[in-house]
Amino acid sequence: MVDDKMDRQMAELLDQTGIGMTFRQGQMIYMEGDPADRIYYIRKGRVRVFQNISSGREVTIDVVESGHILGESAFGGGRTRPTCVQAVNQVQLVSCRVRDLLPHFQREPQFALYLLKLCSDTMDRLTQRLHDQCLLDRYGKVANFILDVTSSDSEEKGTMGGVLPYTHENLADSLGLSRTTVTMVLKRFEAEGWLQSGYKYVKVLDRPALAEFVEEQKEQ
């Protein structure tokens, strides 16, 4: 509950300091190499963080949802963006210059500490994602992602009752897989009775079985 309260207070502080922005599905928020001069707080929606590699392929690094920040490289000063960020669905952000936040942090140090916590959460999440990318095949990646996103009920995110409000294409974009691959994986999981897939949603039916499948892959 403390985090929920701090989330609300942080959002209010950023609203007072920054600029509200809305991005439509598929729209780029920033590109690799752009000046890193602002941080972004996600009020609503989700974004995909990715890089373009030399072969021309896009590699998805992370999917970030509401209540988190983007653009932490802005804290380094004079840096450029190391990744690209794209809206997965309609996204509402608050954009802030770091220097405009400093007076607030000087008056209320707990906000600075909470922002550091959000940065630490990002590092932990990316470490886990990298770990999973190395250990899991396409089946494990899809299963693990679905379990992760539906781990808690959220009306705002649409994850009540183990429901993931994603299309097959959304899942593919989030995981850096092809839509055909995601559809094939989901069909297998449906045949096992672990998932139910419908129009713009996937529902977890047997979380223990899906989690056991992922753990067996990690142990191999």
Side-chain angles (χ1 to χ4, degrees):
M1 297 303 294
V2 173
D3 281 0
D4 289 343
K5 180 179 179 181
M6 288 298 296
D7 278 338
R8 291 193 298 271
Q9 292 177 336
M10 175 66 72
E12 290 172 1
L13 182 150
L14 295 173
D15 281 339
Q16 296 167 11
T17 309
I19 301 170
M21 307 177 74
T22 300
F23 294 85
R24 64 182 182 276
Q25 180 179 348
Q27 188 174 0
M28 297 302 301
I29 296 169
Y30 58 75
M31 298 286 292
E32 184 176 351
D34 285 350
D37 53 359
R38 289 177 173 271
I39 65 165
Y40 300 88
Y41 183 82
I42 307 176
R43 296 300 308 273
K44 186 176 181 180
R46 57 184 181 272
V47 304
R48 180 173 71 104
V49 182
F50 68 94
Q51 281 188 318
N52 293 302
I53 60 177
S54 56
S55 65
R57 188 166 63 92
E58 293 180 356
V59 177
T60 298
I61 298 172
D62 197 12
V63 175
V64 190
E65 300 200 340
S66 59
H68 294 88
I69 60 172
L70 292 168
E72 296 93 337
S73 52
F75 290 113
R79 301 176 64 182
T80 58
R81 301 293 187 193
T83 58
C84 303
V85 176
Q86 180 183 38
V88 173
N89 52 7
Q90 182 165 299
V91 175
Q92 295 177 6
L93 303 174
V94 180
S95 169
C96 292
R97 295 181 300 183
V98 174
R99 68 171 179 266
D100 293 336
L101 290 171
L102 292 178
H104 295 288
F105 295 154
Q106 290 168 353
R107 289 193 297 268
E108 301 288 345
Q110 70 268 28
F111 288 127
L113 292 174
Y114 189 62
L115 196 61
L116 287 173
K117 176 187 178 300
L118 292 180
C119 291
S120 177
D121 289 346
T122 298
M123 294 287 290
D124 291 344
R125 189 174 64 253
L126 288 175
T127 299
Q128 186 60 49
R129 287 283 169 87
L130 179 60
H131 180 266
D132 294 341
Q133 286 288 327
C134 294
L135 293 180
L136 303 177
D137 65 12
R138 58 188 181 275
Y139 294 96
K141 289 174 184 176
V142 173
N144 193 63
F145 183 82
I146 292 172
L147 288 171
D148 182 41
V149 179
T150 62
S151 61
S152 60
D153 288 341
S154 170
E155 291 186 9
E156 180 183 357
K157 297 177 181 178
T159 57
M160 300 296 293
V163 172
L164 178 69
Y166 281 35
T167 64
H168 292 196
E169 187 173 355
N170 291 156
L171 270 171
D173 289 342
S174 298
L175 292 164
L177 300 172
S178 71
R179 186 185 183 282
T180 302
T181 296
V182 167
T183 299
M184 177 187 66
V185 170
L186 292 178
K187 284 183 177 179
R188 174 183 168 183
F189 290 162
E190 286 187 270
E192 296 285 353
W194 300 344
L195 297 175
Q196 177 186 4
S197 179
Y199 179 64
K200 292 186 177 181
Y201 81 91
V202 175
K203 183 175 182 179
V204 178
L205 300 179
D206 193 338
R207 180 172 291 272
L210 204 59
E212 183 180 358
F213 175 81
V214 173
E215 288 305 314
E216 285 177 353
Q217 280 208 0
K218 291 181 178 180
E219 292 172 359
Q220 290 177 359

